[in-house]
Amino acid sequence: MSNPNFQRNTVQRQVILEELCRLKSHPTASDLHEIVRKRLPKISLGTVYRNLDLLSRGGQVLKLVSESGEARYDGNSENHYHIRCVECGRVDDLSETSDDPLENKCADLNGYELLGYRLEYIGICPGCQNIKKK
Amino acid sequence: MSNPNFQRNTVQRQVILEELCRLKSHPTASDLHEIVRKRLPKISLGTVYRNLDLLSRGGQVLKLVSESGEARYDGNSENHYHIRCVECGRVDDLSETSDDPLENKCADLNGYELLGYRLEYIGICPGCQNIKKK
DNA sequence: GTGTATGCAAAGCCTTTGCAGCATG
DNA sequence: CATGCTGCAAAGGCTTTGCATACAC
């Protein structure tokens, strides 16, 4: 029987992860596709999506979705905060200067003019807890 | 000259806002369309989208986008926190019991099993600040 | 009347998926 | 050499848009 979590080490996956980690910015899938294409001219957008999905579900990559629904990816999976530009959608890292991110408003903002923040908790609702127990 | 923010009071807009505010849940545009259709059978999905966009840009409604890119709307535009189910995408309100939401982990979670949170700052990046000044 | 808003349908966009061939372990 | 992965292209799903008509002011 085969291991359902088995994954192969493909050149495509390696290059995608390498290029994403090298970038300080947080590209969209299409941005990354353009970048990776410089090294692997034949790689398809579909492959980029498939690998970003695998990597983000594996925790090696972070997927960031904005209010507009646009997805961006972050090769730094360590816990850190982001600031997003409301005008152009650009996303940057924020240096974590204390354990309480909400109090960081005067910390280094990477040149950003701060407007606010979005906070959302993640969990499992009562209904889905029941389904899982069955 | 006309006021760029001028808006007409249409029945459609009123009913969309009314129904959204009446709901405790946070429906998708399509969910809301189904609900509003009970009162206005001929209303189109496009009109629902157009009005939700107007209302959210006007601050009367909150637009919430999940990691998967799914958009949900909240008729309560007052500052409060949300918890989202990773299994089914359902979104509920969280009672705000202190000024520091990150410390609320033991507060009333509406029956949810808490897994974590997403925090993102919103601002204007240096590049866009320069564009605005010009 | 003037110009915004609507309904309808088509178009857009980003993302996912089916498939046959490829290449990894 | 079994089967996971790829490239390609088509399909999907949500959202936006163009257009003629309706209606708010």
Side-chain angles (χ1 to χ4, degrees), chain B residues 24-71:
Chain B
K24 286 158 296 183
S25 66
H26 305 79
T28 63
S30 173
D31 292 341
L32 232 202
H33 182 224
E34 287 307 316
I35 291 163
V36 169
R37 235 193 320 204
K38 290 174 187 162
R39 291 173 60 184
L40 305 172
K42 295 210 69 186
I43 194 172
S44 70
L45 223 204
T47 296
V48 174
Y49 273 109
R50 273 186 286 233
N51 279 296
L52 286 174
D53 185 51
L54 264 176
L55 291 167
S56 70
R57 284 194 283 110
Q60 292 130 289
V61 152
L62 242 47
K63 184 181 179 184
L64 312 163
V65 179
S66 76
E67 211 64 6
S68 68
E70 182 196 56

Side-chain angles (χ1 to χ4, degrees), chain A residues 3-132:
Chain A
N3 178 351
N5 294 322
F6 177 73
Q7 282 182 279
R8 289 185 178 166
N9 252 347
T10 64
V11 181
Q12 289 87 341
R13 181 133 63 233
Q14 285 169 20
V15 173
I16 288 169
L17 185 54
E18 254 177 59
E19 292 297 329
L20 182 54
C21 288
R22 162 146 55 211
L23 289 168
K24 288 158 294 185
S25 67
H26 304 79
T28 63
S30 172
D31 292 340
L32 233 201
H33 182 223
E34 287 307 315
I35 291 163
V36 169
R37 241 204 304 214
K38 290 173 187 163
R39 290 173 61 186
L40 305 172
K42 295 209 68 185
I43 196 173
S44 70
L45 223 204
T47 295
V48 174
Y49 272 108
R50 273 185 287 233
N51 279 296
L52 286 174
D53 185 51
L54 265 176
L55 291 167
S56 70
R57 283 194 284 109
Q60 292 130 289
V61 152
L62 242 48
K63 183 180 179 185
L64 312 163
V65 179
S66 76
E67 211 65 6
S68 68
E70 181 197 57
R72 284 168 179 270
Y73 297 85
D74 184 350
N76 175 7
S77 57
E78 308 242 320
N79 191 39
H80 63 288
Y81 297 102
H82 296 106
I83 185 161
R84 186 184 304 265
C85 180
V86 287
E87 301 288 337
C88 65
R90 173 179 159 179
V91 175
D92 279 292
D93 288 338
L94 230 44
S95 54
E96 193 178 355
T97 55
S98 103
D99 287 334
D100 181 355
L102 262 28
E103 295 302 319
N104 277 358
K105 292 194 177 174
C106 297
D108 177 23
L109 291 171
N110 257 326
Y112 273 74
E113 179 187 333
L114 187 64
L115 296 178
Y117 63 85
R118 288 169 60 202
L119 174 65
E120 182 179 274
Y121 290 90
I122 309 295
I124 301 176
C125 75
C128 289
Q129 286 174 40
N130 289 335
I131 290 167
K132 283 194 142 185

